[in-house]
Amino acid sequence: MATAKKSTAAPAKQAAKPAAAAKPAAKKAAPAKAAAKPAAKPAAARKPNAAFMKEMTPSGELAAVVGNKPLPRTEVTKKVWDYIKAQNLQDESNRRMINADDKLKAVFGGKAQVSMFEMTKLISDHLK
């Protein structure tokens, strides 16, 4: 009579399975964060820098584009942009480039095309 012995190894293998087979823990929603900073002061009105607001006289070449009255540097740049847009002088493929017409060539030192960043430097050379 041969009887089969029950192996004690089988239950041990089942117990050795990793705990990863258990249900994954549900993610808990993060609690709403309280205000990190105490109530700040009300925002004060921003004051413009006095250097930007100082009226400057444009040179003769620049006056042909923006007029000959003294203007703050910010207004000069706005008027030049208005002129560029009215004359459709931005490059079609690269809008950062400005194609100069006859009036702007005098301001840009004879260059036919300048970048918008170089333009501000060239304009500042024409302000006194």
Side-chain angles (χ1 to χ4, degrees):
M1 247 191 191
T3 59
K5 287 186 174 179
K6 288 189 176 181
S7 172
T8 58
K13 285 184 181 178
Q14 288 177 353
K17 286 186 179 178
K23 283 186 176 179
K27 292 184 180 180
K28 294 182 181 179
K33 291 184 179 180
K37 297 180 183 178
K41 296 179 199 174
R46 189 171 169 192
K47 295 179 185 176
N49 188 339
F52 285 120
M53 300 315 291
K54 180 182 173 189
E55 292 188 346
M56 304 188 80
T57 306
S59 68
E61 294 89 6
L62 186 58
V65 177
V66 298
N68 58 1
K69 288 193 259 179
L71 295 167
R73 190 179 301 266
T74 55
E75 289 298 315
V76 171
T77 305
K78 284 181 187 179
K79 287 192 178 223
V80 169
W81 271 110
D82 290 342
Y83 178 81
I84 289 169
K85 289 178 182 175
Q87 302 296 321
N88 196 23
L89 297 175
Q90 278 184 290
D91 189 53
E92 290 298 320
S93 61
N94 185 357
R95 304 290 286 172
R96 289 181 280 180
M97 299 302 287
I98 310 301
N99 298 322
D101 63 354
D102 292 333
K103 289 182 181 179
L104 285 180
K105 269 189 185 176
V107 175
F108 295 161
K111 294 183 180 182
Q113 189 177 46
V114 297
S115 72
M116 64 173 61
F117 305 109
E118 185 181 4
M119 177 189 74
T120 57
K121 178 186 177 293
L122 294 170
I123 288 173
S124 68
D125 293 342
H126 288 272
L127 295 173
K128 298 174 190 170

